[in-house]
Amino acid sequence: MKTLSDTSGSQDYTALIYEFSGQKVKPDIASELWPKIMQHKWVLSEKLGRDVGIKVACLDFMENIEPMHQDLHDAQRIQLLKSLGAQMIDRSIWDTISETQPPKQIVNKRIILPLTATELARKHAVIPPRTIIFFGPPGTGKTHFVQAIAGILQWWYIEVSPSTLMIDGEDRLGANLKTLIEKAGNLDEVVLFIDEFEEIAESRDHASRIDKSITNEFLKQVPLLKRKERHNLLVCATNYIRQLDKALLRPGRFDCIIPVGGLDDQGRRTIFEYYLRDTNRGDVDVDGIIPMISLFTPADIEYLFQRVRQLAFEREYVKGEDYRVTTETFLEIIPDITPTLTNEIIEDFEQDCLRYTRY
């Protein structure tokens, strides 16, 4: 994932042009413009007798040399995206999710295809979803899925947590939520992600006055968002779907309720090999390790590699010679890591899947 300020070794010209000039262009246009910007840098440097730098050249090119593209950019929209902390996500994040993970197939068929094969969807009267809930145990990759959606669509990604909405105090959470959804709802090509959804949409049966008002506000805002003819998505994630207000889970509010649970062997292998690529390794028996981490979530696998890499770093520092991670290194660390998933958690999740899944 790249933030707007991360340009090292980047080939995401959309993000580079946005960072240097404050203007957003579509990926195909950005790819065409970038060679022209680099040529303009050379011309401008020769003219001034000094290296003007890419940022200056890009800004000058976009503002003065390429006015035909100005109509693609709305200054207020750019400022709004910045204020909301918008990010562009790398397309490659989609490939880190195994094809055998059921949520990937659901997301691709139900969300990605209708939003990309628009003419075919229109022909068959298929309406792309606008509001989605991901649910499942902690660490199973719900946030990763949302980022992957934004990445493959090349839409802006905006992530919000309840703590951010409560920055002005709990009693202002409802008002801040309303403002956020209204702002994001007026933008095109945006994925708005609200994590820890149960914190702001819990059941009203035993809630406090403030919590009830927050849930009521959300119930009002979702239909308003869906009425706007925009290309955007509201995606919420929760570890505790049973805590959500029942009115939110009925058809009409959220178009899709998608489970994200444990990994199968191929899913674990995909993530394991993804992290293994950047590890200073020797002989690693992947086939032998995968069955040993059957209850590991994606977050657990990432933590496993943090521990393994730290151990390799320390041992090479002490011995002063190349240390390569091997199967034995993993066998040493794995027993010290308690998996997030348990058989009980998996059983509860399977019951939730039967009760709540809808797409």
Side-chain angles (χ1 to χ4, degrees):
M1 182 176 67
K2 299 185 290 299
T3 64
L4 295 177
S5 60
D6 181 9
T7 62
S8 177
S10 172
Q11 293 300 310
D12 189 344
Y13 300 129
T14 301
L16 287 172
I17 291 173
Y18 180 88
E19 178 173 324
F20 293 148
S21 69
Q23 301 184 32
K24 185 189 173 200
V25 297
K26 293 184 180 298
D28 56 340
I29 296 175
S31 296
E32 293 176 7
L33 289 178
W34 193 253
K36 298 178 183 179
I37 291 170
M38 297 304 293
Q39 183 179 20
H40 182 63
K41 176 182 178 295
W42 180 83
V43 172
L44 200 58
S45 297
E46 288 291 309
K47 182 178 179 180
L48 298 177
R50 61 181 175 82
D51 186 355
V52 298
I54 296 177
K55 182 175 182 178
V56 172
C58 183
L59 184 61
D60 184 71
F61 181 88
M62 296 301 294
E63 289 186 349
N64 302 307
I65 311 301
E66 198 70 19
M68 70 179 69
H69 293 286
Q70 289 300 311
D71 61 329
L72 296 175
H73 315 297
D74 182 339
Q76 290 184 340
R77 180 174 184 270
I78 292 167
Q79 287 304 117
L80 179 55
L81 284 165
K82 284 185 176 180
S83 70
L84 294 173
Q87 304 174 35
M88 287 299 290
I89 307 296
D90 220 42
R91 289 176 182 270
S92 62
I93 193 171
W94 181 256
D95 298 326
T96 65
I97 303 173
S98 169
E99 296 295 335
T100 63
Q101 281 188 258
K104 185 171 185 179
Q105 301 301 323
I106 297 168
V107 166
N108 189 45
K109 293 178 181 178
R110 185 69 180 90
I111 302 170
I112 305 302
L113 289 180
L115 287 171
T116 51
T118 53
E119 291 300 322
L120 185 59
R122 191 177 297 112
K123 175 183 177 180
H124 292 281
V126 172
I127 301 174
R130 295 284 303 282
T131 51
I132 302 155
I133 293 177
F134 283 114
F135 73 92
T140 48
K142 296 180 288 295
T143 300
H144 193 76
F145 262 106
V146 184
Q147 292 171 344
I149 291 171
I152 198 68
L153 291 174
Q154 281 297 279
W155 287 10
W156 290 107
Y157 173 76
I158 300 170
E159 181 173 342
V160 180
S161 66
S163 59
T164 304
L165 296 171
M166 285 192 288
I167 194 168
D168 301 320
E170 187 178 0
D171 58 334
R172 292 290 301 166
L173 194 154
N176 290 341
L177 177 65
K178 178 176 184 259
T179 300
L180 170 70
I181 294 180
E182 286 178 345
K183 286 181 177 180
N186 288 321
L187 294 168
D188 274 313
E189 298 187 349
V190 162
V191 176
L192 174 62
F193 174 50
I194 301 179
D195 200 5
E196 300 172 336
F197 187 42
E198 70 280 354
E199 295 291 329
I200 59 175
E202 66 176 345
S203 172
R204 291 168 291 177
D205 293 344
H206 305 290
S208 67
R209 178 186 61 81
I210 292 177
D211 288 339
K212 284 182 180 178
S213 68
I214 294 167
T215 303
N216 287 336
E217 184 61 50
F218 203 93
L219 286 166
K220 287 190 295 184
Q221 288 301 317
V222 171
L224 294 175
L225 174 72
K226 294 174 69 174
R227 287 193 199 113
K228 295 180 180 179
E229 294 184 3
R230 297 281 186 175
H231 291 91
N232 51 37
L233 291 172
L234 170 65
V235 188
C236 302
T238 179
N239 300 331
Y240 310 103
I241 193 166
R242 299 178 189 183
Q243 295 181 16
L244 298 184
D245 192 87
K246 292 181 177 62
L248 284 166
L249 299 174
R250 290 195 288 267
R253 290 298 190 322
F254 281 88
D255 303 315
C256 299
I257 302 178
I258 301 174
V260 182
L263 303 167
D264 60 12
D265 283 348
Q266 184 55 49
R268 284 189 295 276
R269 175 183 289 274
T270 298
I271 296 173
F272 189 91
E273 290 178 342
Y274 171 77
Y275 288 112
L276 191 63
R277 285 198 298 267
D278 294 330
T279 301
N280 187 48
R281 65 189 185 278
D283 184 25
V284 177
D285 179 14
V286 178
D287 289 335
I289 292 173
I290 295 302
M292 300 176 63
I293 56 174
S294 60
L295 294 176
F296 277 39
T297 64
D300 293 333
I301 296 173
E302 181 181 9
Y303 178 60
L304 169 63
F305 273 88
Q306 289 176 4
R307 291 283 304 273
V308 164
R309 290 168 178 175
Q310 180 68 26
L311 179 64
F313 164 75
E314 292 174 2
R315 288 184 175 171
E316 180 161 331
Y317 179 81
V318 171
K319 294 184 178 180
E321 57 186 39
D322 182 45
Y323 182 91
R324 294 189 174 271
V325 170
T326 64
T327 303
E328 286 66 33
T329 317
F330 284 100
L331 294 179
E332 184 176 345
I333 297 295
I334 287 174
D336 294 337
I337 298 178
T338 303
T340 296
L341 298 177
T342 64
N343 290 326
E344 183 180 5
I345 290 174
I346 292 174
E347 183 178 341
D348 287 343
F349 172 68
E350 289 173 349
Q351 292 176 5
D352 289 343
C353 290
L354 294 174
R355 182 177 179 183
Y356 297 110
T357 299
R358 175 165 51 78
Y359 53 84

